[in-house]
Amino acid sequence: GEPLDWVVEPKADGIAISLRYEDGQFTIGATRGDGVAGDDVTANLRTIRSIPLLLQPLGQADVPGVLEVRGEVIMTRSGFEKLNREREGEGEPLFANPRNATAGSLKQLDSALVAKRPLDIVLYGSGEIVGGPAVDSQFGLLDALGQLGFRTPQHTWRCSSVDEVLDAIAELDRLRPGFDYDTDGAVIKLNNFALRERVGATAKAPRWAMAYKYAPEQTQTKLNAI
């Protein structure tokens, strides 16, 4: 019976990452792994230019003493095509898709090699926050992350009804072919953080968020022989 609003965001098809900052300094970055323990890939993440190593102050407010932000490391489509052309010219095996190329890049032991890969990141969530400006909604979080120098989803929708949510999902499906990174769906999130706390989560997933997957791309092929 309460008025609700939701945020609809593109679901980037990348590798889930958590970044931790202490007193504004980037200290550690890890993959999601199994949800409890992931891989420490800090050195490789430091080579991604869109990840700020030092946070800029948010207006007149102080930078949080501790800030954990979450998102997806991605590889642009244009960068992926260029990378595969270079690998083909050097006689190396090609990557199957940008997500596989991203995962393989983050596992590299040589950060100098990772620095040559066209990796980027999109941030859309938070973990531990100590100090800094108060944020009480998803839209407020995205705005704060943007002001701190993080890249956030390029298109978001604020919706107050089921029809508006469905319209946003349809509009995103029309727009996403023009993105320079792969998306495989939309994520619908309850905007208000206090309501998220009341809704809670199951053992596997939050009750305040849901992913909508688009139909996969399809094409026809001809089988010449067996």
Side-chain angles (χ1 to χ4, degrees):
E2 299 179 39
L4 303 175
D5 64 333
W6 295 270
V7 178
V8 177
E9 303 170 0
K11 185 178 182 299
D13 190 15
I15 304 299
I17 287 290
S18 179
L19 310 176
R20 182 178 176 87
Y21 290 79
E22 297 178 4
D23 296 325
Q25 295 275 355
F26 176 45
T27 58
I28 191 168
T31 62
R32 180 172 56 192
D34 60 5
V36 177
D39 295 323
D40 182 346
V41 290
T42 307
N44 288 343
L45 291 174
R46 286 182 178 276
T47 70
I48 301 177
R49 295 180 181 179
S50 49
I51 295 180
L53 302 181
L54 178 66
L55 298 182
Q56 300 301 315
L58 178 59
Q60 300 300 315
D62 294 330
V63 170
V66 174
L67 174 64
E68 182 185 350
V69 289
R70 296 170 181 168
E72 301 270 332
V73 174
I74 57 176
M75 182 175 290
T76 61
R77 290 171 178 167
S78 56
F80 170 74
E81 293 169 359
K82 182 174 183 288
L83 176 62
N84 262 353
R85 287 196 301 269
E86 293 173 351
R87 291 177 69 85
E88 184 177 28
E90 295 171 359
E92 297 181 358
L94 305 185
F95 286 114
N97 54 59
R99 189 179 190 279
N100 284 4
T102 300
S105 298
L106 290 179
K107 292 178 180 178
Q108 291 290 327
L109 299 179
D110 185 358
S111 296
L113 176 61
V114 181
K116 299 177 182 178
R117 300 282 174 87
L119 298 178
D120 206 336
I121 195 168
V122 178
L123 284 307
Y124 49 71
S126 63
E128 182 182 11
I129 300 178
V130 178
V135 176
D136 60 5
S137 68
Q138 180 66 16
F139 261 101
L141 174 65
L142 294 177
D143 180 63
L145 292 179
Q147 293 188 53
L148 283 171
F150 295 107
R151 179 183 178 185
T152 56
Q154 63 189 100
H155 292 281
T156 56
W157 291 261
R158 188 168 183 171
C159 308
S160 57
S161 70
V162 173
D163 287 340
E164 289 182 3
V165 169
L166 294 175
D167 287 344
I169 290 172
E171 184 177 359
L172 173 57
D173 196 21
R174 291 192 295 270
L175 291 173
R176 66 193 188 99
F179 294 178
D180 195 26
Y181 61 91
D182 287 344
T183 57
D184 59 356
V187 181
I188 304 100
K189 303 175 181 177
L190 194 59
N191 186 39
N192 186 287
F193 286 175
L195 292 180
R196 291 185 183 183
E197 290 292 327
R198 287 171 53 189
V199 172
T202 67
K204 295 184 177 180
R207 290 192 177 97
W208 47 263
M210 180 178 291
Y212 178 95
K213 290 293 191 75
Y214 296 112
E217 295 182 11
Q218 295 181 338
T219 187
Q220 291 185 337
T221 185
K222 181 180 179 181
L223 179 61
N224 293 318
I226 296 179

